[in-house]
Amino acid sequence: MSNKVYLEFEGFDAAIARLNKLGGNVKGISEKALKKTHQIITKKAEEAITPHNETHQTEKSLRREAEIEWVGTTASVKTGFSIGEGGLASIFLMYGTPRMKKDQKMYNAFWSKSTQDEVRQAQKEIFYNEIRRLSD
């Protein structure tokens, strides 16, 4: 299951405006925040896949490198498993099948409120730490 994650936290537009006003490297900070996002989700996915390592095929398909993609002024990072590289089973683990319950820990690694909150908080901290640094 590959999932593109974007920068989104409360006050994001204001943080970008403030960074621009301070002459900050918006692109660099955005990439730093997305790399941290990728790190948080990947760590949770690694922990969640551990009990399912009969063949290690799904685990090997986990995107371990944070590749930041820009489309205009919008940046994203792919997280999760590469379907083309053996990650199809991750979908069945995450959502279940008629004969198999979903693995809640796997689902939570990507979609739980606590994961989403942790990602937003990390992104926000990276941006506001840079704003504080430039303001001093």
Side-chain angles (χ1 to χ4, degrees), residues 80-136:
F81 300 90
S82 169
I83 303 304
E85 294 175 23
L88 183 61
S90 68
I91 294 172
F92 302 124
L93 291 169
M94 213 172 298
Y95 295 101
T97 69
R99 294 175 185 230
M100 180 184 88
K101 286 179 67 172
K102 75 177 184 179
D103 181 324
Q104 192 64 47
K105 189 172 182 181
M106 177 69 81
Y107 181 88
N108 289 349
F110 298 92
W111 304 111
S112 73
K113 181 176 177 349
S114 66
T115 296
Q116 299 298 312
D117 289 349
E118 185 178 346
V119 162
R120 284 189 194 97
Q121 186 60 36
Q123 291 177 354
K124 192 174 186 176
E125 282 176 17
I126 288 168
F127 272 82
Y128 285 104
N129 285 342
E130 183 66 4
I131 288 169
R132 276 191 289 280
R133 188 185 73 77
L134 292 170
S135 297
D136 288 343

Side-chain angles (χ1 to χ4, degrees), residues 8-52:
E8 51 182 311
F9 56 85
E10 197 174 313
F12 175 71
D13 292 336
I16 292 287
R18 185 91 172 106
L19 270 176
N20 279 325
K21 189 175 178 187
L22 293 168
N25 180 352
V26 173
K27 185 175 181 181
I29 288 301
S30 297
E31 290 189 1
K32 181 178 179 181
L34 285 171
K35 286 178 182 174
K36 180 63 177 177
T37 298
H38 182 272
Q39 180 185 4
I40 290 167
I41 293 172
T42 301
K43 183 177 183 289
K44 290 176 181 254
E46 283 173 335
E47 291 169 7
I49 196 65
T50 301
H52 305 286

